[in-house]
Amino acid sequence: MKRDSFQKRVIPVMVPMPAERPYSYAVPDGARVEPGAILRVPLGPREVAGVAWDGDGEPVAAKKLRVISEVFDCPAVPADMRRFIDWVADYTLSPPGMVARMVLRAPGAFDPEPPTEGLRLTANRPDRMTAARERVLGCVADGQAWTRSGLAHAAGVSLSVVDGLAAQGVFEKVEIPPRPVVAAPDPDFGRAELTPDQGEAASRVREKAAAEHFSVTLIDGVTGSGKTEVYFEAVAAALDRGKQVLILLPEIALTQAFLERFHDRFGAKPAEWHSDIAPRKRERVWRQVAEGQVRVVAGARSALFLPFRELGLIVVDEEHDPAYKQEDRVFYNARDMSVVRGHLGNFPVVLASATPSLESRVNADQGRYERILLPARFADAALPELRAVDMRKAPPARGGFLSPVLIEAMAQTIERKEQALLFLNRRGYAPLTLCRVCGHRFQCPNCSSWLVEHRFRRQLVCHHCGYHEQQPEACPECGTLDHLAACGPGVERIAEEVDRHFPEARTIVLSSDLMGGVKRLRLELEAIAEGEADIVVGTQLVAKGHNFPLMTLVGVVDADLGLANGDPRAAERTFQLLSQVTGRAGRFGKKSTGLLQTYQPEHPVMQALVSGDAETFYEREIAERERAGLPPFGRLAALIVSAATRVEAESHARALRRSAPAASEIEVLGPAEAPLALVAGRHRFRLLVQGPRRADLQAYLRRLIAAAPRPRGSVRVQVDIDPQSFL
Ligand code: ADP
Ligand code: ZN
């Protein structure tokens, strides 16, 4: 840090901007600024929050040097978190400022929460007693501080009664510190009786989680085997060590049941962190995580960027879930970055899944991760018996999508007063609408995708950009009235078919675009769990984490749906999703069935599901990936070029291709027009970069991008390391 008699001390500050390096700022006279301190600094005409970085500030001409405006009264971003920001930026080829921005997402939290004013009993007594005054004094007799309104409420009196007492000097004013967002968890609160299998697994993860060093443990157990129960023991061990814990869940907004289970085990809820939390609450959680007051956070992937003061364990539940991948600004996979975070912070990481990602399986097979198996369901609950319904042999009736085999099974299920779930991963009524006279298809004006009919809302909707229009009565092309046809099914259309077959049954449709949002969804899920529905028709939302005691039949409407695209993980994904959704059945011991409607019952994914032989499937997939040099045996990165016009996008993509340095091990494929060629008005081209596992793909990409012309005009290049989506 430079300083002479005239110069101020200059330090680097990471600002939440797409900057490659921290900017230099002068420290105000007399101020102390440690690395990690959160600061307010001028940036152009604005002021932003930034983080004091490590090392020396780059020299800046005295005229241009600006002074830090404020050092917030806030815990510093810890050193391991700063290393994590650098690491993520380096790995994902993102500007570190954009990664830091993910940490600084609670601007209101940088100032301490002001204490509230409280009242506490003094030795003075009022001149005259009334029944109301008596009640107030009864409340404050314990010597605790009360807020004015809290006290009035608790005593069941009006505010004027409290004020009258205060005027007589019965209370003194005291400061009440900010209320904790959650109570402290107690590791010994409600220890479950574990089965012998679970007990053995638990003692192994407990041992790992009790250690002060990095390790990765994969809990690989069938749905309903008690993985949650087992990793709770790891959580307890970390809490015993005085550490904070982060539990990542793929669909936190819907996992009310999880929070309650946590409460049963630890006597308090974890703090929640996801996009659905109100801003003020988010700020309090952020602050209390930074201060160490919150001990356990259960959150979505962005919780990984909370400034934990003493993080000592990360659990990634459903570690295979694609929701962990962020594909926006900074492209990262929260499962992989959790392992990195554990490595940098030198603490244990636990991954859990019934259908681990191939990446994690291979890491376990090769000894990098410890794998713990839970082969059986809890309490002798049998896994559902899975059968393929060959749609060529038992086709649905004309205009329908449900095979007579499935309809019969549903009838029997309802007869037994149990529940059936029909799963179809398509929102809306129909994925495509066309005119039966001229063949016109309704397409999104901004995207290369069909508009999805939502009959309930009477709209045609684009699922990529949100564009929507009123469902017309006449074809906009040829003008013919009443000849628009819905093609293919969405959940709404399946529900309509269900109503035709079972008019008496109580049917619920569940998808993420349900009117009423998350609250409504929670209520519906509770209603299902309480047995208030006979048939549920749902998208992948229903696949995750819910326990429905009466559910004994799961019908997969289109088991082939995910297999058709060119994604190298298509088979793995389909296997995982269908295992998870059929795993909703029979979790409470009743005999249960899963029926997979398919046109290719001989496909390895269907075979694996029907036979229950996951091992053979994994072996085959792993061998296949190894042969093709695909992850985890090889490395992939995608470059996505987008622009306002197709010509600009394509020419920049070609320029990137031409700039690709020659490297014997690394291959650049493309550019090719993206399968989703137009999204939200932007034309898209893709390049795929493939190399062996040991290749330094990042260094290669940096050279490639440096050699290419700078993107101009509307052109944007996004780098996606370890891409999950190929659209
Ligand atoms: P998984 O996470 O493997 O799907 P869970 O941990 O959700 O499994 O357990 C499935 C169900 O069995 C849950 O309702 C859970 O409460 C119950 N369960 C599992 N293990 C036990 C146990 N040892 N004691 C009591 N209930 C258990
Ligand atoms: Zn669109």
Side-chain angles (χ1 to χ4, degrees):
M1 289 167 214
K2 303 181 175 52
R3 193 208 299 257
D4 62 33
S5 51
F6 300 108
Q7 265 178 328
K8 290 182 181 295
R9 189 165 76 107
V10 174
I11 63 157
V13 177
M14 194 66 86
V15 290
M17 296 277 298
E20 285 305 326
R21 269 182 298 281
Y23 292 169
S24 294
Y25 284 91
V27 176
D29 291 326
R32 270 173 54 99
V33 182
E34 306 285 333
I38 299 182
L39 315 165
R40 192 155 53 82
V41 294
L43 188 76
R46 302 177 296 145
E47 296 222 305
V48 297
V51 184
W53 221 242
D54 308 76
D56 292 338
E58 285 182 23
V60 180
K63 265 198 307 204
K64 287 178 95 181
L65 185 64
R66 304 180 76 177
V67 183
I68 292 164
S69 315
E70 183 185 358
V71 182
F72 285 106
D73 178 6
C74 182
V77 176
D80 62 347
M81 192 65 192
R82 301 199 299 278
R83 295 297 72 72
F84 183 58
I85 292 171
D86 281 333
W87 203 99
V88 172
D90 195 59
Y91 187 82
T92 60
L93 265 76
S94 310
M98 294 308 278
V99 183
R101 189 170 169 270
M102 299 196 290
V103 178
L104 298 173
R105 264 210 198 132
F110 306 151
D111 288 314
E113 204 179 325
T116 24
E117 191 172 275
L119 302 173
R120 198 165 52 196
L121 192 62
T122 61
N124 302 337
R125 287 295 167 271
D127 49 7
R128 186 173 55 80
M129 260 309 182
T130 63
R133 286 182 166 183
E134 225 51 70
R135 284 207 297 279
V136 175
L137 291 179
C139 284
V140 289
D142 60 0
Q144 298 293 314
W146 289 74
T147 62
R148 177 172 163 265
S149 57
L151 182 53
H153 185 79
V157 303
S158 71
L159 283 170
S160 61
V161 176
V162 175
D163 291 344
L165 287 168
Q168 297 194 20
V170 173
F171 303 125
E172 59 183 342
K173 288 195 170 139
V174 291
E175 286 190 345
I176 303 179
R179 205 160 35 89
V181 283
V182 282
D186 172 3
D188 301 315
F189 182 81
R191 252 202 179 113
E193 289 274 341
L194 298 180
T195 65
D197 275 354
Q198 291 173 344
E200 202 189 306
S203 72
R204 282 166 73 193
V205 285
R206 212 184 293 122
E207 203 176 297
K208 292 280 187 180
E212 294 279 344
H213 56 78
F214 172 68
S215 64
V216 185
T217 309
L218 172 65
I219 306 177
D220 180 350
V222 296
T223 51
S225 56
K227 294 184 291 297
T228 316
E229 255 16 275
V230 169
Y231 75 63
F232 277 171
E233 295 312 300
V235 172
L239 291 174
D240 280 335
R241 251 167 63 218
K243 295 297 183 181
Q244 288 172 297
V245 176
L246 170 61
I247 303 172
L248 291 179
L249 301 167
E251 196 79 54
I252 180 84
L254 296 176
T255 23
Q256 205 56 32
F258 173 85
L259 300 177
E260 267 145 38
R261 268 179 83 179
F262 188 94
H263 188 282
D264 291 344
R265 172 64 185 81
F266 294 100
K269 282 191 179 166
E272 275 181 88
W273 181 267
H274 51 81
S275 55
D276 226 51
I277 304 277
R280 194 68 204 103
K281 179 79 179 285
R282 275 169 79 83
E283 284 164 358
R284 298 181 61 217
V285 171
W286 192 97
R287 179 87 193 185
Q288 294 185 14
V289 166
E291 287 175 341
Q293 202 170 352
V294 162
R295 305 311 294 173
V296 182
V297 174
R301 60 180 185 231
S302 60
L304 193 52
F305 292 92
L306 281 169
F308 287 94
R309 183 195 178 98
E310 45 205 353
L311 189 58
L313 173 70
I314 302 179
V315 177
V316 186
D317 201 352
E318 310 286 6
E319 64 90 29
H320 64 276
D321 201 291
Y324 285 123
K325 182 70 191 278
Q326 167 158 306
E327 289 165 346
D328 175 32
R329 290 180 206 264
V330 179
F331 287 55
Y332 70 92
N333 184 320
R335 184 239 330 192
D336 298 343
M337 294 306 113
S338 293
V339 172
V340 170
R341 181 86 174 82
H343 189 74
L344 293 174
N346 200 25
F347 60 73
V349 176
V350 172
L351 311 176
S353 176
T355 49
S357 63
L358 238 64
E359 282 83 350
S360 296
R361 256 308 291 271
V362 170
N363 275 322
D365 291 350
Q366 297 181 347
R368 279 185 293 272
Y369 297 176
E370 165 153 4
R371 177 170 171 225
I372 296 179
L373 279 169
L374 282 171
R377 276 191 161 180
F378 173 69
D380 301 325
L383 283 164
E385 187 200 327
L386 300 191
R387 277 184 283 135
V389 177
D390 188 338
M391 297 295 270
R392 297 164 307 190
K393 295 195 182 128
R398 235 183 106 76
F401 302 92
L402 304 177
S403 161
V405 179
L406 179 53
I407 293 168
E408 176 55 30
M410 291 167 70
Q412 291 174 6
T413 306
I414 302 174
E415 177 102 20
R416 286 195 305 270
K417 305 252 178 285
E418 294 168 0
Q419 286 173 324
L421 168 66
L422 295 184
F423 170 74
L424 176 64
N425 217 1
R426 264 199 189 134
R427 293 181 280 145
Y429 184 83
L432 167 68
T433 305
L434 57 73
C435 171
R436 262 178 291 160
V437 177
C438 74
H440 173 76
R441 296 167 166 218
F442 286 80
Q443 195 175 353
C444 174
N446 313 315
C447 305
S448 45
S449 62
W450 308 126
L451 292 177
V452 178
E453 179 183 350
H454 285 242
R455 190 159 284 192
F456 192 64
R457 280 152 46 186
R458 308 193 138 278
Q459 279 181 338
L460 297 175
V461 182
C462 171
H463 284 177
H464 294 286
C465 72
Y467 168 87
H468 52 88
E469 59 185 49
Q470 275 303 304
Q471 166 105 0
E473 278 163 17
C475 172
E477 194 70 28
C478 67
T480 315
L481 265 173
D482 295 333
H483 273 74
L484 299 178
C487 296
V491 280
E492 291 179 8
R493 194 171 191 180
I494 296 299
E496 195 181 85
E497 188 175 347
V498 167
D499 279 340
R500 279 203 304 275
H501 290 289
F502 304 100
E504 307 288 300
R506 298 162 302 171
T507 303
I508 288 185
V509 183
L510 280 186
S511 70
S512 58
D513 50 12
L514 196 72
M515 303 239 221
V518 172
K519 275 219 183 77
R520 163 92 186 280
L521 215 44
R522 279 185 183 164
L523 290 176
E524 298 276 25
L525 289 165
E526 269 167 40
I528 299 168
E530 308 272 302
E532 288 166 25
D534 304 306
I535 301 168
V536 182
V537 184
T539 61
Q540 63 174 358
L541 264 187
V542 295
K544 292 182 185 174
H546 316 292
N547 278 325
F548 303 129
L550 289 174
M551 194 153 284
T552 57
L553 174 68
V554 173
V556 176
V557 175
D558 184 353
D560 308 330
L561 189 60
L563 292 173
N565 59 26
D567 185 334
R569 291 190 184 83
E572 177 190 346
R573 280 284 150 72
T574 304
F575 176 74
Q576 287 162 339
L577 184 59
L578 298 187
S579 300
Q580 199 168 16
V581 70
T582 52
R584 292 306 111 203
R587 288 168 72 90
F588 287 76
K590 289 200 162 75
K591 184 177 172 315
S592 61
T593 313
L595 294 177
L596 311 166
Q597 296 198 141
T598 173
Y599 286 90
Q600 37 187 337
E602 68 293 338
H603 192 287
V605 170
M606 306 309 151
Q607 292 291 322
L609 289 163
V610 168
S611 66
D613 183 2
E615 273 313 297
T616 305
F617 175 72
Y618 273 94
E619 273 166 32
R620 224 192 75 114
E621 274 296 300
I622 289 170
E624 190 91 344
R625 295 270 181 96
E626 188 160 18
R627 198 186 44 73
L630 287 168
F633 300 97
R635 304 194 57 207
L636 286 181
L639 293 172
I640 304 142
V641 183
S642 65
T645 64
R646 191 175 182 280
V647 173
E648 280 178 291
E650 181 167 20
S651 78
H652 193 79
R654 292 201 180 286
L656 280 172
R657 177 74 179 87
R658 280 194 303 275
S659 313
S664 55
E665 299 186 320
I666 294 175
E667 203 182 351
V668 181
L669 307 166
E673 186 154 43
L676 265 174
L678 183 67
V679 175
R682 296 184 64 85
H683 295 260
R684 304 165 77 240
F685 278 78
R686 297 180 67 102
L687 292 131
L688 193 64
V689 182
Q690 186 173 9
R693 196 185 165 102
R694 64 180 175 280
D696 187 347
L697 226 49
Q698 279 84 354
Y700 182 84
L701 287 166
R702 277 198 186 90
R703 277 195 288 148
L704 188 160
I705 290 167
R710 280 174 88 66
R712 281 205 305 209
S714 67
V715 175
R716 212 168 60 211
V717 179
Q718 290 171 310
V719 182
D720 186 0
I721 304 284
D722 310 326
Q724 301 265 334
S725 157
F726 296 82
L727 292 178

PDB file of all heavy atoms in Angstrom, residues 443-451 461-468 676 678-681, ligand 2:
ATOM      1  N   GLN A 443     -46.510 -18.508 -33.715  1.00  0.00           N
ATOM      2  CA  GLN A 443     -45.136 -18.456 -33.240  1.00  0.00           C
ATOM      3  C   GLN A 443     -44.925 -17.159 -32.467  1.00  0.00           C
ATOM      4  O   GLN A 443     -45.588 -16.153 -32.737  1.00  0.00           O
ATOM      5  CB  GLN A 443     -44.199 -18.500 -34.444  1.00  0.00           C
ATOM      6  CG  GLN A 443     -42.782 -18.813 -34.064  1.00  0.00           C
ATOM      7  CD  GLN A 443     -41.891 -18.975 -35.279  1.00  0.00           C
ATOM      8  OE1 GLN A 443     -42.363 -18.985 -36.409  1.00  0.00           O
ATOM      9  NE2 GLN A 443     -40.605 -19.094 -35.036  1.00  0.00           N
ATOM     10  N   CYS A 444     -43.974 -17.188 -31.522  1.00  0.00           N
ATOM     11  CA  CYS A 444     -43.663 -15.968 -30.780  1.00  0.00           C
ATOM     12  C   CYS A 444     -42.973 -14.984 -31.718  1.00  0.00           C
ATOM     13  O   CYS A 444     -42.063 -15.373 -32.447  1.00  0.00           O
ATOM     14  CB  CYS A 444     -42.753 -16.287 -29.598  1.00  0.00           C
ATOM     15  SG  CYS A 444     -42.185 -14.804 -28.743  1.00  0.00           S
ATOM     16  N   PRO A 445     -43.361 -13.720 -31.689  1.00  0.00           N
ATOM     17  CA  PRO A 445     -42.685 -12.752 -32.556  1.00  0.00           C
ATOM     18  C   PRO A 445     -41.240 -12.485 -32.134  1.00  0.00           C
ATOM     19  O   PRO A 445     -40.442 -12.017 -32.942  1.00  0.00           O
ATOM     20  CB  PRO A 445     -43.535 -11.480 -32.413  1.00  0.00           C
ATOM     21  CG  PRO A 445     -44.277 -11.634 -31.136  1.00  0.00           C
ATOM     22  CD  PRO A 445     -44.468 -13.105 -30.934  1.00  0.00           C
ATOM     23  N   ASN A 446     -40.881 -12.804 -30.895  1.00  0.00           N
ATOM     24  CA  ASN A 446     -39.531 -12.507 -30.402  1.00  0.00           C
ATOM     25  C   ASN A 446     -38.623 -13.719 -30.309  1.00  0.00           C
ATOM     26  O   ASN A 446     -37.433 -13.582 -30.047  1.00  0.00           O
ATOM     27  CB  ASN A 446     -39.597 -11.893 -28.991  1.00  0.00           C
ATOM     28  CG  ASN A 446     -40.631 -10.806 -28.881  1.00  0.00           C
ATOM     29  OD1 ASN A 446     -40.718  -9.959 -29.760  1.00  0.00           O
ATOM     30  ND2 ASN A 446     -41.436 -10.849 -27.836  1.00  0.00           N
ATOM     31  N   CYS A 447     -39.201 -14.913 -30.423  1.00  0.00           N
ATOM     32  CA  CYS A 447     -38.430 -16.126 -30.170  1.00  0.00           C
ATOM     33  C   CYS A 447     -38.754 -17.148 -31.248  1.00  0.00           C
ATOM     34  O   CYS A 447     -39.834 -17.121 -31.822  1.00  0.00           O
ATOM     35  CB  CYS A 447     -38.790 -16.759 -28.822  1.00  0.00           C
ATOM     36  SG  CYS A 447     -38.618 -15.641 -27.432  1.00  0.00           S
ATOM     37  N   SER A 448     -37.807 -18.083 -31.464  1.00  0.00           N
ATOM     38  CA  SER A 448     -38.156 -19.156 -32.373  1.00  0.00           C
ATOM     39  C   SER A 448     -38.804 -20.272 -31.569  1.00  0.00           C
ATOM     40  O   SER A 448     -38.206 -21.306 -31.325  1.00  0.00           O
ATOM     41  CB  SER A 448     -36.926 -19.656 -33.118  1.00  0.00           C
ATOM     42  OG  SER A 448     -35.858 -19.807 -32.235  1.00  0.00           O
ATOM     43  N   SER A 449     -39.987 -20.012 -31.089  1.00  0.00           N
ATOM     44  CA  SER A 449     -40.700 -21.062 -30.379  1.00  0.00           C
ATOM     45  C   SER A 449     -42.190 -20.873 -30.624  1.00  0.00           C
ATOM     46  O   SER A 449     -42.651 -19.771 -30.918  1.00  0.00           O
ATOM     47  CB  SER A 449     -40.386 -21.000 -28.886  1.00  0.00           C
ATOM     48  OG  SER A 449     -40.827 -19.780 -28.355  1.00  0.00           O
ATOM     49  N   TRP A 450     -42.922 -21.961 -30.510  1.00  0.00           N
ATOM     50  CA  TRP A 450     -44.364 -21.888 -30.696  1.00  0.00           C
ATOM     51  C   TRP A 450     -44.997 -21.267 -29.468  1.00  0.00           C
ATOM     52  O   TRP A 450     -44.486 -21.394 -28.361  1.00  0.00           O
ATOM     53  CB  TRP A 450     -44.972 -23.281 -30.928  1.00  0.00           C
ATOM     54  CG  TRP A 450     -44.322 -24.070 -32.010  1.00  0.00           C
ATOM     55  CD1 TRP A 450     -43.806 -25.336 -31.891  1.00  0.00           C
ATOM     56  CD2 TRP A 450     -44.138 -23.685 -33.372  1.00  0.00           C
ATOM     57  NE1 TRP A 450     -43.285 -25.738 -33.099  1.00  0.00           N
ATOM     58  CE2 TRP A 450     -43.473 -24.741 -34.029  1.00  0.00           C
ATOM     59  CE3 TRP A 450     -44.435 -22.535 -34.112  1.00  0.00           C
ATOM     60  CZ2 TRP A 450     -43.125 -24.700 -35.378  1.00  0.00           C
ATOM     61  CZ3 TRP A 450     -44.091 -22.489 -35.458  1.00  0.00           C
ATOM     62  CH2 TRP A 450     -43.444 -23.561 -36.075  1.00  0.00           C
ATOM     63  N   LEU A 451     -46.110 -20.622 -29.695  1.00  0.00           N
ATOM     64  CA  LEU A 451     -46.863 -20.100 -28.557  1.00  0.00           C
ATOM     65  C   LEU A 451     -47.664 -21.232 -27.935  1.00  0.00           C
ATOM     66  O   LEU A 451     -48.250 -22.050 -28.644  1.00  0.00           O
ATOM     67  CB  LEU A 451     -47.801 -18.983 -29.018  1.00  0.00           C
ATOM     68  CG  LEU A 451     -47.083 -17.716 -29.484  1.00  0.00           C
ATOM     69  CD1 LEU A 451     -48.091 -16.693 -29.992  1.00  0.00           C
ATOM     70  CD2 LEU A 451     -46.225 -17.118 -28.366  1.00  0.00           C
ATOM     71  N   VAL A 461     -49.108 -18.091 -25.051  1.00  0.00           N
ATOM     72  CA  VAL A 461     -47.994 -17.582 -24.256  1.00  0.00           C
ATOM     73  C   VAL A 461     -46.671 -18.135 -24.779  1.00  0.00           C
ATOM     74  O   VAL A 461     -46.587 -19.302 -25.158  1.00  0.00           O
ATOM     75  CB  VAL A 461     -48.151 -18.018 -22.773  1.00  0.00           C
ATOM     76  CG1 VAL A 461     -47.025 -17.456 -21.915  1.00  0.00           C
ATOM     77  CG2 VAL A 461     -49.500 -17.572 -22.218  1.00  0.00           C
ATOM     78  N   CYS A 462     -45.631 -17.289 -24.772  1.00  0.00           N
ATOM     79  CA  CYS A 462     -44.290 -17.778 -25.080  1.00  0.00           C
ATOM     80  C   CYS A 462     -43.602 -18.137 -23.769  1.00  0.00           C
ATOM     81  O   CYS A 462     -43.483 -17.292 -22.878  1.00  0.00           O
ATOM     82  CB  CYS A 462     -43.473 -16.718 -25.815  1.00  0.00           C
ATOM     83  SG  CYS A 462     -41.748 -17.200 -25.988  1.00  0.00           S
ATOM     84  N   HIS A 463     -43.122 -19.372 -23.653  1.00  0.00           N
ATOM     85  CA  HIS A 463     -42.480 -19.803 -22.416  1.00  0.00           C
ATOM     86  C   HIS A 463     -41.029 -19.357 -22.317  1.00  0.00           C
ATOM     87  O   HIS A 463     -40.362 -19.604 -21.327  1.00  0.00           O
ATOM     88  CB  HIS A 463     -42.588 -21.319 -22.261  1.00  0.00           C
ATOM     89  CG  HIS A 463     -43.971 -21.742 -21.842  1.00  0.00           C
ATOM     90  ND1 HIS A 463     -44.337 -23.049 -21.704  1.00  0.00           N
ATOM     91  CD2 HIS A 463     -45.071 -21.024 -21.525  1.00  0.00           C
ATOM     92  CE1 HIS A 463     -45.610 -23.116 -21.331  1.00  0.00           C
ATOM     93  NE2 HIS A 463     -46.073 -21.900 -21.228  1.00  0.00           N
ATOM     94  N   HIS A 464     -40.544 -18.695 -23.361  1.00  0.00           N
ATOM     95  CA  HIS A 464     -39.157 -18.226 -23.292  1.00  0.00           C
ATOM     96  C   HIS A 464     -39.057 -16.768 -22.897  1.00  0.00           C
ATOM     97  O   HIS A 464     -38.175 -16.382 -22.148  1.00  0.00           O
ATOM     98  CB  HIS A 464     -38.441 -18.475 -24.609  1.00  0.00           C
ATOM     99  CG  HIS A 464     -38.305 -19.935 -24.877  1.00  0.00           C
ATOM    100  ND1 HIS A 464     -37.399 -20.714 -24.202  1.00  0.00           N
ATOM    101  CD2 HIS A 464     -38.996 -20.760 -25.671  1.00  0.00           C
ATOM    102  CE1 HIS A 464     -37.536 -21.957 -24.596  1.00  0.00           C
ATOM    103  NE2 HIS A 464     -38.498 -22.028 -25.487  1.00  0.00           N
ATOM    104  N   CYS A 465     -39.942 -15.924 -23.427  1.00  0.00           N
ATOM    105  CA  CYS A 465     -39.822 -14.495 -23.127  1.00  0.00           C
ATOM    106  C   CYS A 465     -41.050 -13.943 -22.425  1.00  0.00           C
ATOM    107  O   CYS A 465     -41.054 -12.782 -22.013  1.00  0.00           O
ATOM    108  CB  CYS A 465     -39.550 -13.707 -24.395  1.00  0.00           C
ATOM    109  SG  CYS A 465     -40.988 -13.595 -25.471  1.00  0.00           S
ATOM    110  N   GLY A 466     -42.098 -14.736 -22.284  1.00  0.00           N
ATOM    111  CA  GLY A 466     -43.276 -14.243 -21.578  1.00  0.00           C
ATOM    112  C   GLY A 466     -44.274 -13.508 -22.470  1.00  0.00           C
ATOM    113  O   GLY A 466     -45.337 -13.105 -22.014  1.00  0.00           O
ATOM    114  N   TYR A 467     -43.937 -13.342 -23.747  1.00  0.00           N
ATOM    115  CA  TYR A 467     -44.880 -12.698 -24.664  1.00  0.00           C
ATOM    116  C   TYR A 467     -46.223 -13.435 -24.607  1.00  0.00           C
ATOM    117  O   TYR A 467     -46.265 -14.655 -24.505  1.00  0.00           O
ATOM    118  CB  TYR A 467     -44.329 -12.754 -26.094  1.00  0.00           C
ATOM    119  CG  TYR A 467     -45.352 -12.368 -27.146  1.00  0.00           C
ATOM    120  CD1 TYR A 467     -45.533 -11.041 -27.517  1.00  0.00           C
ATOM    121  CD2 TYR A 467     -46.160 -13.340 -27.740  1.00  0.00           C
ATOM    122  CE1 TYR A 467     -46.486 -10.686 -28.455  1.00  0.00           C
ATOM    123  CE2 TYR A 467     -47.122 -13.006 -28.679  1.00  0.00           C
ATOM    124  CZ  TYR A 467     -47.290 -11.673 -29.027  1.00  0.00           C
ATOM    125  OH  TYR A 467     -48.237 -11.332 -29.942  1.00  0.00           O
ATOM    126  N   HIS A 468     -47.342 -12.685 -24.629  1.00  0.00           N
ATOM    127  CA  HIS A 468     -48.628 -13.369 -24.676  1.00  0.00           C
ATOM    128  C   HIS A 468     -49.637 -12.560 -25.455  1.00  0.00           C
ATOM    129  O   HIS A 468     -49.529 -11.343 -25.568  1.00  0.00           O
ATOM    130  CB  HIS A 468     -49.154 -13.664 -23.273  1.00  0.00           C
ATOM    131  CG  HIS A 468     -49.179 -12.463 -22.387  1.00  0.00           C
ATOM    132  ND1 HIS A 468     -50.242 -11.595 -22.328  1.00  0.00           N
ATOM    133  CD2 HIS A 468     -48.247 -11.963 -21.549  1.00  0.00           C
ATOM    134  CE1 HIS A 468     -49.967 -10.625 -21.482  1.00  0.00           C
ATOM    135  NE2 HIS A 468     -48.762 -10.819 -20.997  1.00  0.00           N
ATOM    136  N   LEU A 676     -32.619 -22.876 -30.209  1.00  0.00           N
ATOM    137  CA  LEU A 676     -33.504 -21.730 -29.956  1.00  0.00           C
ATOM    138  C   LEU A 676     -32.839 -20.541 -30.639  1.00  0.00           C
ATOM    139  O   LEU A 676     -32.061 -19.812 -30.040  1.00  0.00           O
ATOM    140  CB  LEU A 676     -33.605 -21.466 -28.469  1.00  0.00           C
ATOM    141  CG  LEU A 676     -34.778 -22.076 -27.732  1.00  0.00           C
ATOM    142  CD1 LEU A 676     -34.640 -21.831 -26.240  1.00  0.00           C
ATOM    143  CD2 LEU A 676     -36.096 -21.530 -28.241  1.00  0.00           C
ATOM    144  N   LEU A 678     -33.851 -17.767 -31.854  1.00  0.00           N
ATOM    145  CA  LEU A 678     -34.259 -16.407 -31.522  1.00  0.00           C
ATOM    146  C   LEU A 678     -34.877 -16.436 -30.133  1.00  0.00           C
ATOM    147  O   LEU A 678     -35.814 -17.186 -29.880  1.00  0.00           O
ATOM    148  CB  LEU A 678     -35.283 -15.949 -32.567  1.00  0.00           C
ATOM    149  CG  LEU A 678     -35.823 -14.524 -32.481  1.00  0.00           C
ATOM    150  CD1 LEU A 678     -34.721 -13.516 -32.761  1.00  0.00           C
ATOM    151  CD2 LEU A 678     -36.968 -14.329 -33.469  1.00  0.00           C
ATOM    152  N   VAL A 679     -34.320 -15.655 -29.216  1.00  0.00           N
ATOM    153  CA  VAL A 679     -34.907 -15.551 -27.879  1.00  0.00           C
ATOM    154  C   VAL A 679     -35.034 -14.083 -27.522  1.00  0.00           C
ATOM    155  O   VAL A 679     -34.052 -13.339 -27.567  1.00  0.00           O
ATOM    156  CB  VAL A 679     -34.056 -16.273 -26.807  1.00  0.00           C
ATOM    157  CG1 VAL A 679     -34.636 -16.029 -25.410  1.00  0.00           C
ATOM    158  CG2 VAL A 679     -33.996 -17.765 -27.082  1.00  0.00           C
ATOM    159  N   ALA A 680     -36.226 -13.687 -27.147  1.00  0.00           N
ATOM    160  CA  ALA A 680     -36.497 -12.304 -26.751  1.00  0.00           C
ATOM    161  C   ALA A 680     -35.910 -11.309 -27.749  1.00  0.00           C
ATOM    162  O   ALA A 680     -35.279 -10.328 -27.372  1.00  0.00           O
ATOM    163  CB  ALA A 680     -35.963 -12.058 -25.336  1.00  0.00           C
ATOM    164  N   GLY A 681     -36.090 -11.610 -29.002  1.00  0.00           N
ATOM    165  CA  GLY A 681     -35.662 -10.679 -30.043  1.00  0.00           C
ATOM    166  C   GLY A 681     -34.182 -10.738 -30.383  1.00  0.00           C
ATOM    167  O   GLY A 681     -33.704  -9.948 -31.180  1.00  0.00           O
TER     168      GLY A 681
HETATM  169 ZN    ZN B   2     -40.888 -15.337 -26.922  1.00  0.00          ZN
END
